[in-house]
Amino acid sequence: MQTRCSIMRSGSRSLRQAGLSLDFEILRNGIMANRVKNSKMKVLMVNKFLYPNGGSETYIFQLGEQLQKKGHEVQYFGMEHEGRIVGNRIESYTADMDFHARGPEKLLYPIRIIYSGEAKRKIRRVLEDFGPDVVHLNNINFQLTPSII
């Protein structure tokens, strides 16, 4: 026996307004499975590095690729870097913070790793332009900071 129900509200924005309908099926063994109908979503992936740097980046690049294969629109936000391989339509990124470099700009790093006004302003522009349904925050410590939340 299967039981179905639809969820019409999530947070402050209804799923119907977003053009989504979630159907949950409660299977005989009690496992709940879900399907998303009309699920062409806009997803903003946020990670401080947007170039191949480690496992965190491998994860978001592969997740973004799989989402695109499923028909979703994916854009990225993070730091600008010469090796950047993904991005967003308006090319809005924070300045690169290289903790290994030398120079007077490093004097502000102790403040910028706590709160980044630059990151807050720039992600706001991406959010206003792209209008994502989902924002996936992955690795935001130090360079992007919780200011983007």
Side-chain angles (χ1 to χ4, degrees):
M1 178 178 168
Q2 293 185 352
T3 306
R4 290 185 177 217
C5 62
S6 292
I7 296 183
M8 297 324 257
R9 190 138 180 93
S10 174
S12 61
R13 183 176 180 197
S14 82
L15 293 172
R16 185 171 284 156
Q17 287 175 327
L20 301 175
S21 170
L22 291 179
D23 282 347
F24 288 91
E25 296 179 9
I26 302 172
L27 307 176
R28 257 185 252 170
N29 57 7
I31 295 174
M32 191 180 298
N34 69 336
R35 293 189 340 248
V36 180
K37 295 180 180 176
N38 304 322
S39 62
K40 303 299 183 211
M41 295 188 298
K42 292 181 172 183
V43 180
L44 179 63
M45 306 288 278
V46 180
N47 194 71
K48 61 184 172 182
F49 302 122
L50 299 179
Y51 60 92
N53 189 51
S56 176
E57 293 72 41
T58 300
Y59 166 73
I60 66 154
F61 298 153
Q62 289 182 357
L63 178 59
E65 185 179 310
Q66 293 303 314
L67 288 167
Q68 288 173 327
K69 285 180 181 178
K70 296 284 187 185
H72 303 293
E73 185 177 351
V74 179
Q75 291 189 25
Y76 297 82
F77 177 78
M79 288 190 306
E80 181 57 273
H81 186 271
E82 63 188 21
R84 181 174 54 79
I85 62 170
V86 293
N88 56 67
R89 182 174 41 231
I90 62 170
E91 298 288 318
S92 182
Y93 313 100
T94 65
D96 187 16
M97 285 180 66
D98 183 357
F99 293 112
H100 304 291
R102 297 176 185 251
E105 66 275 357
K106 284 186 71 170
L107 294 174
L108 294 177
Y109 283 5
I111 296 168
R112 287 181 59 198
I113 66 172
I114 296 170
Y115 184 90
S116 174
E118 176 195 22
K120 182 179 179 179
R121 285 188 306 278
K122 291 191 174 183
I123 198 169
R124 182 175 291 150
R125 290 197 299 229
V126 175
L127 293 170
E128 289 170 357
D129 174 70
F130 184 44
D133 298 304
V134 175
V135 175
H136 178 83
L137 302 177
N138 191 53
N139 186 7
I140 65 167
N141 58 317
F142 302 121
Q143 288 86 342
L144 299 180
T145 75
S147 64
I148 65 172
I149 298 174

